[in-house]
Amino acid sequence: MNTKQSTIGSEVSVKGVGLHSGEVVTLTLCPAGINEGIVFQRIDIENKPKVPALVEFVVDTARGTVLEKDGAKVQTTEHVLAAIGGLQVDNVLIKLDGPEIPIMDGSAMPFVELLEKAGLVEQNALRNYFTITEAVQLNNPDHSVELAALPLNDYRLTVMVDYNSKVLSSQHAQLHEIGNFKEHIASCRTFVFVHELEALYNAGLIKGGDINNAILIAEDEVSEERVAELAKMLGKNKLTIGKSGIVNDEPLKFKNEPARHKLLDLIGDLVLVGRPLKAHILAARPGHASNVALAKKITKVIAEASKAPPTFDVDAEPVFDVNGIAKLLPHRYPFQLVDKIMSLDGSTVVGIKNITMNEPQFMGHFPDNPVMPGVLQVEAIAQTGGVLVLTSTGEPEAYWPYLVGIDKCRFFRNVLPGDALVIRCSLLMPIRMGVAKMQGEAWVGSNLVCSVQMTARLVKKKND
């Protein structure tokens, strides 16, 4: 799994037809900055509205995952998102001049190849992984659907499908290493049963459907008249139902290609969590509705975790020790107030400040009842946030970090010698024009002791 965030090196475009809308659409992938995430943009609509690839904007999952924000809708997002998630790309702007992602060949491979053509570029920020620490489960007994995200310090997916079909038997698919996505999963195409086609066609869908962009499966014998009707629906002069039960005996990429495609869809839909995951995803009979429901559950867990005390591996090597911090920040004794940085990604940092009795402030600040001054708690939080802001630049030695604003500052309990402050700072929005807005918190054990919103400004050092 990648450690740092990535984007693409150049703009690349592809043109194709939308599966359901039948409209010809040009899709353009564009580089995006650190922490900008995956964003769709409808350039054919006035003001060119943007739709972030987040689960909160899902409006339909009937025959694909549809996003909508401010009246801008993007249909059939799952395959391009699967390519993005499978290649571990974090920041991309996806421009569209129509309502639907082109279906291409019904797999994610055309988008994988498009991303590779653009070139993957590593960015100077850590990926903002969310690690599942307790099982997140989803059950729908009425449809025999069951999904779970289980704790794992990696990203692994296991899928089972079972349609009680004579042709499509129960199948399993696994992806143990996300790095194998292109080789084992990306080329697997979407599929549809013959008996579903008429309902889809009558509902005004599959206007762009074709045997070249989906595997068409017949469970029972189909009369010549029915085959002729199918051909007419798909705009073909002639179709045949092969001995395999697949129209035109289209060869499968893998024996379990349908199961692998469901795993592909699952990867794409889980990109909508908005953060890369460390988890083992188990899915029995998944579909877009259940995938999105699991994504919503995970985002709820993430929201709850953001309110809890920060956690880290006490046995792990720090990202920066006190000497590493001194190379980043200009502060020195007695104002170097952070001992180590335990975690750091593009949007959040966790640091440690150990409070000892021999610190100079206790000589005059409540010497008979030593209490850490609140202003120094804020300074420690600000220094921790300074590490986050400086490392986002790619050249931290070139800037001075200044605290220029404090808002909504509150203190909840005294901080005493012997306490260890665990400090978390998170960006409230992407850094723009050298200005960073952050939420900072300091905890002692499970107790929140200080909370503050801060604004910091990066100032370029003058060359000597």
Side-chain angles (χ1 to χ4, degrees), residues 140-195:
N140 186 339
D142 293 339
H143 294 88
S144 300
V145 171
E146 186 173 359
L147 286 82
L150 305 179
L152 183 71
N153 191 33
D154 203 344
Y155 193 41
R156 185 177 302 168
L157 301 100
T158 303
V159 167
M160 183 276 285
V161 297
D162 183 2
Y163 292 92
N164 296 316
S165 168
K166 302 172 187 176
V167 176
L168 181 57
S169 60
S170 177
Q171 295 184 353
H172 293 77
Q174 300 179 63
L175 184 63
H176 282 180
E177 294 184 16
I178 195 67
N180 292 329
F181 172 80
K182 178 181 177 181
E183 180 182 359
H184 296 296
I185 302 297
S187 64
C188 296
R189 299 157 294 173
T190 192
F191 60 96
V192 64
F193 291 101
V194 166
H195 67 264

Side-chain angles (χ1 to χ4, degrees), residues 121-135:
V121 177
E122 184 176 272
Q123 296 172 296
N124 193 35
L126 297 177
R127 301 192 84 201
N128 189 18
Y129 284 102
F130 182 76
T131 301
I132 296 293
T133 56
E134 295 184 10

Side-chain angles (χ1 to χ4, degrees), residues 263-289:
L263 192 152
L264 182 158
D265 281 344
L266 182 59
I267 290 174
D269 287 335
L270 289 181
V271 168
L272 299 172
V273 169
R275 291 175 62 178
L277 299 173
K278 289 188 176 181
H280 187 180
I281 308 296
L282 301 175
R285 305 171 190 85
H288 295 299

Side-chain angles (χ1 to χ4, degrees), residues 155-390:
Y155 193 41
R156 185 177 302 168
L157 301 100
T158 303
V159 167
M160 183 276 285
V161 297
D162 183 2
Y163 292 92
N164 296 316
S165 168
K166 302 172 187 176
V167 176
L168 181 57
S169 60
S170 177
Q171 295 184 353
H172 293 77
Q174 300 179 63
L175 184 63
H176 282 180
E177 294 184 16
I178 195 67
N180 292 329
F181 172 80
K182 178 181 177 181
E183 180 182 359
H184 296 296
I185 302 297
S187 64
C188 296
R189 299 157 294 173
T190 192
F191 60 96
V192 64
F193 291 101
V194 166
H195 67 264
E196 297 177 296
L197 275 183
E198 188 171 8
L200 292 170
Y201 184 80
N202 291 336
L205 301 174
I206 63 166
K207 293 176 182 177
D210 194 289
I211 57 173
N212 296 320
N213 55 36
I215 303 167
L216 186 53
I217 301 171
E219 293 187 276
D220 302 304
E221 284 191 25
V222 182
S223 67
E224 291 184 8
E225 292 82 2
R226 181 66 175 139
V227 172
E229 290 175 4
L230 290 173
K232 184 178 179 181
M233 282 184 199
L234 298 172
K236 299 295 179 183
N237 293 326
K238 184 180 180 181
L239 294 177
T240 61
I241 305 297
K243 292 181 181 179
S244 63
I246 298 175
V247 170
N248 286 3
D249 260 337
E250 175 69 22
L252 297 180
K253 303 288 179 67
F254 302 91
K255 289 183 178 179
N256 64 341
E257 184 173 357
R260 293 187 190 218
H261 183 80
K262 285 295 184 180
L263 192 152
L264 182 158
D265 281 344
L266 182 59
I267 290 174
D269 287 335
L270 289 181
V271 168
L272 299 172
V273 169
R275 291 175 62 178
L277 299 173
K278 289 188 176 181
H280 187 180
I281 308 296
L282 301 175
R285 305 171 190 85
H288 295 299
S290 59
N291 296 347
V292 168
L294 179 64
K296 287 181 177 179
K297 279 202 163 190
I298 293 172
T299 55
K300 185 177 180 180
V301 171
I302 292 173
E304 292 170 351
S306 68
K307 300 174 184 177
T311 59
F312 56 89
D313 183 355
V314 294
D315 296 321
E317 288 290 324
V319 179
F320 294 110
D321 61 13
V322 68
N323 295 316
I325 295 169
K327 292 178 181 178
L328 287 170
L329 298 176
H331 308 81
R332 296 295 182 266
Y333 179 85
F335 277 95
Q336 185 176 358
L337 295 177
V338 185
D339 296 318
K340 50 187 176 178
I341 298 296
M342 295 306 300
S343 70
L344 176 68
D345 56 50
S347 62
T348 302
V349 60
V350 175
I352 306 295
K353 163 61 179 170
N354 295 299
I355 314 302
T356 62
M357 186 61 192
N358 60 355
E359 295 188 36
Q361 68 262 23
F362 294 134
M363 294 177 60
H365 193 266
F366 294 91
D368 297 325
N369 179 31
V371 175
M372 184 180 185
V375 67
L376 292 185
Q377 295 178 42
V378 173
E379 177 63 20
I381 295 171
Q383 290 183 23
T384 304
V387 172
L388 173 63
V389 175
L390 282 170

